[in-house]
């Protein structure tokens, strides 16, 4: 039986921002109901103990995120949440004190990625207020700034990042500038249970992207898989449109879906360091693992 380091469960396909780096999904807007979430947990229980409540969408838009965390705890799961952070104040009472909640990743690049963002100080202030309180609950915090450019970074982008980093440096009494220590793709620890990660701007894979020779490796269906809000199983968290549709847990069991011919062909292909799916051949993330 395949087991995974982590499983992604999309609890909503809706987002409250329109960031430049995140193309809107063409899928129907949807929010996962509690009974469907519980059934999903039962299906993946033999395969993992760690779940991430996102693929597309903003998880803190889910009106019952507290009940999802309680259900996760009841079934023995640990939970990670990735959020743009704009709704953290409204949801703090739904998150704090929930034993299933292991880690929260704050996508701080969302502030500058969304054209209508206002008041950086209040945005970060609300997040930092929550983080101070979360310290008492041993929640791991990861601040993400995934907006580095591979070419020359514009002065405006540099200034915006510096404003964000200065606020963090002041909050944690750092005696160094974060840019001097952080490396793209690698996090640094800035306090107990608190990390910062800078990386290049994230590119969602697309069938419209150019295709390469298909060589390389990926951890899809090896250490992760994902279930979209409608129950569609995809091999990884990057397939936000459900292009590699392996099956639906409302029609077949998750265990059978990940052992299907298409799933095994993808898995065996990457064992040979070969991408057999068109989407995989057009995904730049695969190149991180070399050939």
């Amino acid at each position: 039986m395949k087991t995974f380091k982590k499983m992604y469960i999309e609890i909503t396909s809706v987002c409250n921002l329109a960031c430049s780096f995140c193309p809107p999904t063409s899928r129907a807007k949807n929010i996962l109901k509690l009974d469907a979430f519980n059934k999903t947990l039962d299906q993946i229980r033999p395969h993992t103990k760690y779940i991430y409540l996102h693929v597309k969408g903003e998880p803190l838009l889910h009106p019952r995120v507290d009940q999802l965390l309680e259900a996760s705890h009841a079934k023995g799961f640990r939970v990670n949440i990735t959020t743009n952070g704009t709704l953290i104040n409204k949801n703090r009472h739904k998150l704090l004190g929930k034993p299933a909640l292991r880690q929260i990743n704050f996508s701080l690049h969302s502030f500058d990625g969304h054209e209508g963002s206002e008041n950086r100080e209040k945005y970060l202030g609300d997040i930092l207020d929550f983080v101070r309180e979360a310290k008492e609950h041993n929640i791991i915090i990861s601040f993400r700034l995934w907006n580095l450019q591979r070419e020359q970074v514009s002065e405006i982008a540099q200034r915006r990042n510096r404003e964000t980093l200065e606020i963090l440096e002041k909050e944690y009494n750092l005696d160094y500038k974060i840019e001097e220590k952080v490396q793209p793709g690698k996090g640094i620890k800035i306090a107990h249970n608190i990390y910062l990660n800078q990386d290049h701007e994230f590119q969602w894979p697309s069938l419209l992207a150019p295709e390469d020779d298909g060589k390389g490796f990926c951890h899809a269906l090896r250490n992760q898989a994902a279930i979209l809000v409608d129950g569609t199983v995809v091999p990884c968290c990057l397939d936000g449109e459900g292009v590699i549709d392996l099956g639906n847990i409302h029609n077949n069991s998750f265990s059978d879906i990940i052992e299907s011919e298409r799933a095994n062909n993808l898995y065996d292909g990457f064992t040979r360091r070969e991408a057999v799916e068109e989407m995989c051949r057009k995904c730049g993330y695969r190149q991180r693992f070399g050939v």
Side-chain angles (χ1 to χ4, degrees):
M1 178 179 292
K2 287 191 178 84
T3 56
F4 301 105
K5 182 180 177 182
K6 54 194 172 185
M7 276 284 308
Y8 293 84
I9 302 176
E10 183 183 65
I11 60 174
T12 178
S13 57
V14 182
C15 191
N16 61 326
L17 299 184
C19 295
S20 58
F21 55 80
C22 189
T25 178
S26 61
R27 294 183 284 120
K29 293 181 178 180
N30 203 349
I31 290 181
L32 189 63
K33 290 182 170 56
L34 181 60
D35 61 339
F37 181 74
N38 271 299
K39 290 175 182 176
T40 300
L41 294 184
D42 288 338
Q43 289 211 40
I44 68 171
R45 208 169 177 180
H47 300 278
T48 192
K49 292 300 178 188
Y50 293 91
I51 55 177
Y52 288 58
L53 300 185
H54 65 278
V55 176
K56 283 287 190 79
E58 167 52 51
L60 297 190
L61 278 173
H62 198 292
R64 297 187 177 183
V65 66
D66 51 342
Q67 294 179 40
L68 302 187
L69 288 170
E70 289 163 4
S72 300
H73 177 63
K75 295 181 185 294
F77 289 95
R78 301 300 309 281
V79 178
N80 286 29
I81 292 177
T82 295
T83 172
N84 58 43
T86 57
L87 303 173
I88 195 65
N89 219 15
K90 182 179 178 181
N91 286 278
R92 62 195 304 152
H93 66 287
K94 295 183 179 182
L95 303 174
L96 295 172
K98 295 295 186 290
L101 185 55
R102 172 184 175 269
Q103 179 170 329
I104 298 184
N105 307 314
F106 288 100
S107 298
L108 302 185
H109 46 281
S110 301
F111 183 85
D112 291 316
H114 178 68
E115 190 174 332
S117 294
E118 297 178 350
N119 198 336
R120 186 186 310 271
E121 287 74 19
K122 183 180 187 312
Y123 167 71
L124 290 170
D126 287 347
I127 291 174
L128 291 173
D129 281 345
F130 173 85
V131 171
R132 291 184 203 110
E133 200 168 346
K135 183 178 180 180
E136 302 173 15
H137 301 275
N138 290 317
I139 299 171
I140 299 169
I141 302 294
S142 175
F143 296 121
R144 293 176 172 179
L145 265 179
W146 290 359
N147 60 2
L148 299 178
Q149 303 297 314
R150 297 186 186 277
E151 294 80 28
Q152 183 66 33
V153 180
S154 70
E155 290 185 14
I156 293 176
Q158 284 183 321
R159 175 177 56 77
R160 288 172 173 172
N161 273 0
R162 182 90 292 273
E163 289 172 359
T164 293
L165 295 175
E166 278 181 0
I167 292 172
L168 294 177
E169 289 162 2
K170 182 178 179 181
E171 173 71 17
Y172 298 106
N173 296 314
L174 303 183
D175 58 1
Y176 58 86
K177 286 189 174 183
I178 289 172
E179 302 100 311
E180 297 171 355
K181 297 213 172 183
V182 73
Q183 297 178 17
K186 295 182 179 180
I188 61 169
K189 185 176 182 178
I190 58 176
H192 175 66
N193 273 350
I194 298 176
Y195 301 84
L196 184 133
N197 183 288
Q198 277 196 284
D199 207 343
H200 295 103
E201 184 172 304
F202 181 75
Q203 297 289 327
W204 285 92
S206 168
L207 291 177
L208 300 177
E211 188 172 318
D212 59 23
D213 62 5
K215 300 297 182 183
F217 179 78
C218 181
H219 292 286
L221 293 181
R222 208 168 288 266
N223 75 3
Q224 65 165 283
I227 303 175
L228 303 182
V229 68
D230 67 351
T232 299
V233 178
V234 292
C236 72
C237 64
L238 304 187
D239 190 358
E241 292 304 296
V243 173
I244 307 176
D245 181 347
L246 300 175
N248 193 294
I249 59 170
H250 301 312
N251 302 323
N252 299 100
S253 74
F254 178 78
S255 297
D256 287 344
I257 289 171
I258 59 172
E259 292 294 350
S260 66
E261 182 179 2
R262 188 175 187 182
N264 283 326
N265 283 343
L266 185 147
Y267 182 98
D268 294 341
F270 280 126
T271 300
R272 304 189 303 269
R273 285 182 145 52
E274 175 187 343
V276 300
E277 292 279 350
E278 180 184 3
M279 174 67 88
C280 298
R281 294 194 295 271
K282 295 182 175 182
C283 178
Y285 202 82
R286 171 174 47 85
Q287 298 167 0
R288 294 184 177 213
F289 306 108
V291 296

